[in-house]
């Protein structure tokens, strides 16, 4: 959770939140109960239940693997692609499996935000047709499957997702494919000012909240009051 913002925003979809709302053609940060439910759960795990170690708040994804292999952590909330590192670095005989994130309940219980990889052609390129041809080649269903297996990530095309080679129990592929229908575009996509909001406001605010230094009301005030002032500058 050394970079807590994307997880906190993207997982809020599972409880019906999204943090970024568009009204009257402008983006606004709101932080109601549905938006904060996941953050409140993490706060309880660290500061009340003791079911998540405080030391993990300063860790990135790879930092947690040695503890996982040493049986200090029973579960790790990692991106799907981290399976590659687990498969390649785990001690001999180490048993592991992939589980879906816990449901947030309700119709959006398994939803989470993602930012798919994209390919673009520069308007000023002297080789636009060739570049478009390469994109067409890469995004063919059979090639998308090969890329997905190489990246250990899910392909975005429905035909590629249906490929039998991805519907296997090996390395948790099936768990990911079965959840693909619940993936949603991240609420941060297209939000002007998001990088500044993330770096200057949200990252330190979430870190303080998860560490127990501030309460939920303080977190809400920082994300919305200070955060919306930043977004407003980009929307004038």
């Amino acid at each position: 959770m050394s970079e807590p913002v994307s997880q906190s925003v993207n997982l809020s979809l599972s409880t019906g939140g999204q943090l970024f709302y568009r009204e009257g053609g402008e983006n606004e940060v709101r932080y109601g109960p549905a938006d904060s439910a996941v953050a409140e759960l993490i706060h309880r795990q660290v500061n009340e239940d003791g079911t998540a170690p405080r030391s993990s708040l300063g860790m990135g994804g790879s930092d947690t693997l040695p503890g996982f292999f040493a049986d200090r952590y029973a579960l790790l909330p990692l991106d799907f692609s981290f399976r590659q590192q687990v498969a390649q670095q785990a001690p001999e005989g180490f048993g592991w499996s992939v589980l879906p994130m816990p449901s947030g309940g309700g119709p959006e219980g398994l939803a989470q935000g993602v930012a798919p990889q994209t390919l673009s052609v520069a308007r000023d390129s002297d080789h636009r047709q060739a570049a478009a041809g390469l994109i067409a080649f890469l995004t063919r269903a059979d090639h998308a499957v090969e890329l997905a297996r190489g990246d250990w990530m899910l392909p975005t095309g429905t035909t590629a997702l249906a490929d039998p080679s991805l519907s296997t129990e090996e390395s948790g592929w099936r768990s990911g494919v079965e959840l693909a229908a619940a993936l949603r575009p991240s609420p941060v996509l297209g939000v002007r000012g998001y990088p500044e909001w993330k770096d200057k406001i949200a990252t330190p605010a979430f870190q303080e909240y998860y560490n127990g230094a501030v309460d939920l009301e303080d977190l809400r005030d920082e994300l919305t009051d200070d955060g919306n002032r930043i977004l407003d500058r980009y929307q004038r």
Side-chain angles (χ1 to χ4, degrees), residues 75-138:
L75 292 169
L76 294 181
L78 298 176
D79 291 344
F80 197 55
S81 61
F82 273 97
R83 297 170 303 123
Q84 181 180 22
Q85 293 186 46
V86 175
Q88 294 176 348
Q89 299 174 17
E92 185 176 352
F94 183 81
W96 61 283
S97 61
V98 176
L99 301 174
M101 292 293 290
S103 172
E108 298 296 327
L110 294 176
Q112 55 183 292
V114 294
Q117 295 175 327
T118 61
L119 297 169
S120 304
V121 177
R123 177 181 296 176
D124 296 333
S125 172
D126 294 330
H127 306 284
R128 283 178 292 178
Q129 185 172 352
L134 175 62
I135 292 175
F137 175 81
L138 292 174

Side-chain angles (χ1 to χ4, degrees), residues 177-193:
V177 170
E178 289 176 348
L179 286 174
L183 300 179
R184 303 286 185 269
S186 174
V188 309
L189 295 177
V191 176
R192 296 181 62 200

Side-chain angles (χ1 to χ4, degrees), residues 212-230:
V214 300
D215 62 18
L216 181 62
E217 192 62 35
D218 292 328
L219 174 64
R220 180 178 292 110
D221 289 344
E222 290 189 51
L223 296 179
T224 58
D225 294 349
D226 297 338
N228 280 318
R229 278 193 286 270
I230 288 178

Side-chain angles (χ1 to χ4, degrees), residues 97 163 208:
S97 61
D163 190 280
E208 289 180 336

